[in-house]
Amino acid sequence: MLTRPIPSTGEAMPVIGLGTWRAFDIGVGAAARRPLGEVLRLLLDSGGRMIDSSPMYGRAEAVTGDLLAETGARARAFLATKVWTAGRESGISQMQRSAELLQTEVIDLIQIHNLVDWRTHLATLRRMKEEGRGGYGYIGITHYTTGALPELARILNSEPGIDFVQLGYSLATRAAERELLPTASARGVAVIVNQPLERGTLFRHFRGCALPDWASECDCLSWAQLFLKYILAEPAVTCVIPATGNPDHMNDDLGAGFGRLPDPRQRQQIRQLWDAA
Ligand SMILES: NC(=O)c1ccc[n+]([C@@H]2O[C@H](COP(=O)([O-])OP(=O)(O)OC[C@H]3O[C@@H](n4cnc5c(N)ncnc54)[C@H](OP(=O)(O)O)[C@@H]3O)[C@@H](O)[C@H]2O)c1
């Protein structure tokens, strides 16, 4: 799979990851969990690593932790979760709980979810990193709305020590191209793209439509691959985290991590296709 370096360390990150919102918020039933185990197996066997969760996603952290422990696959995954609460002590205990649920000693990336009480958590995470304790690797901040992009950019410009920014970006919602990607690139911050399929709604616009012939020029075999490769063609993007609980969809999404990416002319064609849809 294609990889991009995490700017703060140079560690290679495979470009296709997995979101767990909704898809992994399920109970303990073996039948419901089986496809999710398959989704994780496909991700990791294809060379993908990033799995994104949050205490906000109900049982998703626990389900992810159980499935990785059952298969002994923890070491192959890059676990990203979030802190989503106000207050220092509450943040620390929430992060400890996430580590328990994910059944890991080290959470590879902790992100401040939707910038909730971000000054407090950033101070906590920086102090823990400096003191070499806490069991966290990288530090990140997240949001998903276009309205939050200016604040994300302000924080990246003024606060050192942030390794990742996670933001909403898709063919339908392209403001990040102007409002955040140049800042992330200039500041050396890795970019995780959430809602890359616009929560699945991009597909509706092309239901029943054949892929254009020129899609094969950038090795796209499906609409999902065209949507994801459109994003991955931005050099500032480190990885995308489409969510799915469906192994066939995971396989489809993983295909976007291989082969040629759209060049600027092909990206323009993809935008025109969307704008005309
Ligand atoms: N503030 C934040 O930090 C924040 C906010 C939003 C999201 N996120 C993160 O970003 C992740 C992704 O965002 P998202 O879940 O909102 O939306 P998304 O990834 O844009 O879309 C997910 C939807 O697309 C469908 N899908 C995935 N692959 C497909 C394929 N190949 N063909 C057809 N349908 C496909 C899924 O359905 P199936 O399950 O049926 O495949 C699901 O309904 C989240 O899970 C979460 O981890 C973070």
Side-chain angles (χ1 to χ4, degrees):
M1 186 182 296
L2 299 171
T3 63
R4 297 261 161 85
I6 299 168
S8 61
T9 60
E11 181 180 355
M13 179 55 61
V15 294
I16 305 292
L18 173 69
T20 62
W21 183 43
R22 291 186 298 204
F24 277 59
D25 184 11
I26 60 158
V28 289
R33 287 189 174 203
R34 203 166 297 120
L36 301 186
E38 183 61 4
V39 162
L40 290 177
R41 188 190 67 74
L42 288 165
L43 173 80
L44 299 171
D45 284 358
S46 297
R49 289 181 70 207
M50 168 86 64
I51 303 170
D52 179 74
S53 198
S54 170
M56 187 194 176
Y57 303 163
R59 285 162 293 195
E61 288 181 317
V63 170
T64 304
D66 287 350
L67 292 171
L68 289 176
E70 275 166 25
T71 52
R74 162 66 188 102
R76 292 198 286 151
F78 181 101
L79 284 178
T81 194
K82 311 194 183 87
V83 54
W84 180 64
T85 184
R88 180 175 178 278
E89 295 310 316
S90 172
I92 291 170
S93 57
Q94 190 179 66
M95 292 188 276
Q96 284 167 346
R97 180 72 184 136
S98 289
E100 284 165 22
L101 292 171
L102 289 164
Q103 302 183 42
T104 185
E105 285 183 12
V106 176
I107 295 174
D108 298 301
L109 164 63
I110 283 276
Q111 306 155 102
I112 302 167
H113 198 156
N114 288 351
L115 300 178
V116 174
D117 200 7
W118 67 267
R119 286 185 178 81
T120 302
H121 301 313
L122 189 55
T124 304
L125 289 166
R126 275 190 188 130
R127 196 162 42 248
M128 285 176 161
K129 206 170 188 178
E130 277 162 23
E131 293 169 3
R133 65 189 170 92
Y136 315 117
Y138 295 97
I139 298 175
I141 54 175
T142 83
H143 215 292
Y144 66 105
T145 64
T146 296
L149 293 174
E151 189 174 9
L152 289 174
R154 263 196 307 278
I155 295 171
L156 295 191
N157 274 323
S158 59
E159 300 286 345
I162 296 175
D163 304 291
F164 279 85
V165 61
Q166 184 184 139
L167 50 91
Y169 173 29
S170 77
L171 187 53
T173 305
R174 305 195 292 258
E177 289 173 0
R178 295 182 310 279
E179 297 189 31
L180 205 101
L181 297 184
T183 307
S185 183
R187 299 289 296 169
V189 175
V191 174
I192 301 174
V193 172
N194 66 42
Q195 304 196 331
L197 302 170
E198 201 72 17
R199 300 173 306 286
T201 62
L202 290 183
F203 297 100
R204 281 188 215 147
H205 298 264
F206 298 100
R207 192 164 290 148
C209 301
L211 272 180
D213 290 343
W214 47 261
S216 63
E217 292 168 21
C218 48
D219 298 323
C220 290
L221 298 173
S222 69
W223 287 106
Q225 292 174 17
L226 197 74
F227 300 148
L228 295 174
K229 283 198 172 193
Y230 174 79
I231 296 170
L232 292 172
E234 280 282 350
V237 169
T238 309
C239 69
V240 292
I241 49 166
T244 185
N246 177 329
D248 291 337
H249 289 172
M250 184 77 259
N251 241 339
D252 187 12
D253 298 345
L254 285 164
F258 297 85
R260 291 166 291 181
L261 292 172
D263 63 23
R265 182 186 56 83
Q266 291 161 339
R267 289 195 91 210
Q268 177 62 17
Q269 282 177 301
I270 298 171
R271 276 192 294 271
Q272 283 167 350
L273 201 64
W274 170 257
D275 293 342

